[in-house]
């Protein structure tokens, strides 16, 4: 199964991707997580990307496409994968299509989680993430079982540097200007499923699995 979770920052992509991993036993490929790992390892690529991420801007396409090319070539992607936070621009979507055509594979479904902007700020400012496994929680809407401890791997949860009300504005701006046009791209490809992402986490999961069965 080759899947993509799609939506605005904070729409719930990472949260729902975790359920897809459990069900299909395929890896989640989050470009955001890969970039954050590169920042903590202080690689040249990470240091360059950090400038864009701290300002809520998109990292240049050439960097992102290079990351995906390397990642999809790894063995664990052979039985499928879940793209999360990629693609975010039309050139990225076109590069992905070329890459997948070359690999003789295709996308099965794009799951779009629709959440209006006015709900996004509250979701992002209350988000707590696990630096170990990338899991995402919310202090109010989706709390971890033990406060500030990851349910999946036990690491201490943290607040992402870019999860503040100021950066959210530019991230939403980038989403509407550069990423939202991909809805039409994937609708035209016949793989788009649009879900109401404002429902409770478990309801969204139920709708997602229904759309995949
Ligand atoms: P994304 O990966 O799309 O940026 P996340 O999955 O990290 O978004 O979710 C953003 C925040 O919203 C997190 O704090 C998460 O716990 C919370 N969240 C996710 N899905 C829902 C939902 N259906 N209802 C309320 N809060 C949610
Ligand atoms: P995310 O973890 O998906 O919210 O991404 C965090 C930040 O990483 C974004 O605000 C961008 O700066 C950068 N980023 C992640 N994925 C991409 C992508 N596909 N294209 C460009 N920038 C990205």
């Amino acid at each position: 199964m080759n899947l993509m979770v799609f939506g605005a920052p904070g729409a719930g992509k990472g949260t729902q991707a975790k359920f897809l991993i459990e069900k299909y036993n395929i890896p989640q490929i989050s470009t955001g997580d890969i970039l954050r790992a590169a920042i903590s390892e202080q690689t040249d690529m990470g240091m360059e990307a950090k400038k864009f991420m701290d300002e809520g801007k998109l990292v240049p396409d050439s960097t992102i496409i290079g990351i995906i090319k390397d990642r999809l070539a790894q063995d664990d992607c052979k039985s499928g994968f879940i793209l999360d936070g990629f693609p975010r621009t039309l050139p990225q979507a076109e590069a992905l299509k070329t890459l997948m055509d070359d690999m003789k594979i295709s996308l099965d479904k794009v799951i779009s989680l629709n959440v209006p902007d006015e709900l996004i700020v509250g979701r992002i400012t209350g988000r707590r993430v696990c630096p170990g496994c990338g899991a995402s929680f919310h202090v109010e809407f989706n709390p971890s079982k033990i406060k500030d401890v990851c349910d999946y791997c036990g690491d201490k949860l943290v607040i992402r540097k870019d999860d503040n009300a100021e950066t959210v504005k530019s991230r939403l701006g980038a989403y509407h200007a550069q990423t939202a046009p991909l809805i039409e791209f994937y609708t035209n490809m016949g793989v788009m499923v649009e879900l109401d992402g404002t429902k409770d986490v478990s309801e969204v999961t139920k709708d997602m699995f229904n759309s995949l069965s």
Side-chain angles (χ1 to χ4, degrees), residues 7-16 84 113 123-124 126-129 136-139 141-142 160 171 197-202 204:
K13 302 182 293 296
T15 302
Q16 296 303 331
D84 166 4
L113 304 172
R123 283 197 182 188
I124 283 192
R127 172 157 61 183
R128 299 291 180 272
V129 296
S136 180
F137 300 88
H138 191 282
V139 285
F141 310 136
N142 185 27
R160 269 171 49 175
R171 287 158 70 193
T198 67
K199 296 182 185 175
D200 284 351
V201 171
S202 60
V204 177

Side-chain angles (χ1 to χ4, degrees), residues 1-4 17 20-30 68 71-84 96 100 103-109:
M1 194 78 114
N2 301 322
L3 301 172
M4 183 190 298
L20 293 170
I21 300 173
E22 279 172 15
K23 175 144 176 161
Y24 297 110
N25 197 23
I26 50 177
Q28 168 193 18
I29 302 176
S30 156
I68 287 291
R71 186 64 189 87
L72 289 186
Q74 289 172 19
D75 272 353
D76 65 336
C77 292
K78 289 217 166 82
S79 47
F81 47 80
I82 306 149
L83 295 171
D84 166 4
L96 175 67
M100 291 182 77
M103 295 168 78
K104 302 201 176 353
I105 56 175
S106 55
L107 267 176
D108 292 294
K109 282 269 184 309

Side-chain angles (χ1 to χ4, degrees), residues 7-10 13-14 30-36 39 49-61 63-65 67-68 84-89 92 124 127 129 160 162-163 167 170-172 174 178-179:
K13 302 182 293 296
S30 156
T31 39
D33 285 350
I34 294 171
L35 292 166
R36 280 183 288 277
I39 292 173
K50 185 176 186 305
K51 296 181 216 156
F52 295 93
M53 294 166 77
D54 285 350
E55 288 183 24
K57 293 183 181 154
L58 294 185
V59 172
D61 287 337
T63 306
I64 300 291
I65 292 165
I67 289 174
I68 287 291
D84 166 4
F86 172 87
R88 267 174 149 103
T89 65
Q92 290 181 21
I124 283 192
R127 172 157 61 183
V129 296
R160 269 171 49 175
D162 58 346
D163 276 353
T167 314
S170 44
R171 287 158 70 193
L172 277 173
Q178 293 168 274
T179 310

